[in-house]
Structure formats: C-alpha cells, structure tokens
Amino acid sequence: MESSGPQMALDVNIYNFSAKIGDTTPVVHYHIMKMDQSLFIWIGTSPSLDNMAVAIGNDGPPSACKIMGDMTDVTQSNLALKLCKRTGKQIFVSYSVPEEIMRDLVEKRLIEEMDNYPEKF
C-alpha cells in the first residue's frame, strides 16, 4: 500500500568522544546524535540511561522538562536549557556522571568540543 503523505528522510549523525576530567579515575564518555533540528546528548561513565530531560525554545525563552529519572535532580534540565539557548535546537540530555566528577568541568569539555567541531552539533 502506498502512502499519500510526504516522505521524509531521517538523517541522524552520531559523534562520540571521551575525556579524562581532572584527576578522576573514570573516563567521561559523550555520545551525540545530531538530527535535523534537535540533539540527543548522553554523558556518562558507564552505559546506562537512567534519566533524561528535554528543552525546547520556540519564539520565546526555552523551557525544559524532566521526562525520565529522579524529578528532583535538575542537572539534565539545566544542561538542556543551556544547550538549547546556545544552539537554538531542541535538546535531549541524559547525564550519568558520579557527583565526585565536577559537573562544571564536564560541561566545559562538551562546550569545547562544540566550539572545535560545530558541524557535529
């Protein structure tokens, strides 16, 4: 059976990198999925998807919503908001990094990568 609606190609680009943050033992891994008008960003030290937030900004200031995980932890929502403001895209963020690794340094490393390789974002 043929579809009568418009056909859309799904274009997803994947980019991965890892970084040693400070003197910490675990390496922090970053997984980026770039889609047409959105980004999915997973940051973690081990493979788990325990939480997620999304931020979107249309004509006004962006807003964020936690869609999975501990609703009192705003780490993902805050990062999604920052990145939405920076990119103008819808941003999904999952952040699974132990507290002993400084969050500011983890975010700084992501921003450095965005500045150095903007085509990946």
Side-chain angles (χ1 to χ4, degrees):
M1 178 176 216
E2 290 186 35
S3 173
S4 60
Q7 298 295 314
M8 295 177 58
L10 181 59
D11 188 21
V12 178
N13 296 303
I14 297 174
Y15 178 59
N16 297 301
F17 66 98
S18 300
K20 187 88 165 156
I21 306 294
D23 295 332
T24 60
T25 301
V27 172
V28 177
H29 304 282
Y30 299 78
H31 176 78
I32 316 301
M33 294 175 61
K34 178 183 175 185
M35 295 160 275
D36 183 32
Q37 291 297 314
S38 63
L39 291 171
F40 171 83
I41 299 172
W42 176 86
I43 304 170
T45 55
S46 62
S48 66
L49 186 65
D50 300 328
N51 57 64
M52 189 180 305
V54 61
I56 187 166
N58 292 328
D59 296 330
S63 60
C65 177
K66 186 80 176 259
I67 55 177
M68 189 173 111
D70 179 2
M71 296 299 164
T72 62
D73 181 2
V74 296
T75 303
Q76 301 80 20
S77 299
N78 289 341
L79 182 55
L81 277 172
K82 288 179 190 177
L83 298 174
C84 183
K85 289 176 188 176
R86 182 181 183 87
T87 64
K89 295 181 177 186
Q90 180 180 23
I91 305 289
F92 295 87
V93 171
S94 178
Y95 186 93
S96 300
V97 178
E99 289 184 22
E100 64 267 12
I101 301 176
M102 295 185 62
R103 185 177 309 135
D104 290 345
L105 296 177
V106 173
E107 289 181 23
K108 180 181 176 186
R109 181 63 184 92
L110 176 62
I111 299 302
E112 287 173 2
E113 200 75 11
M114 292 176 83
D115 290 342
N116 291 333
Y117 304 99
E119 71 279 3
K120 304 290 186 186
F121 298 87

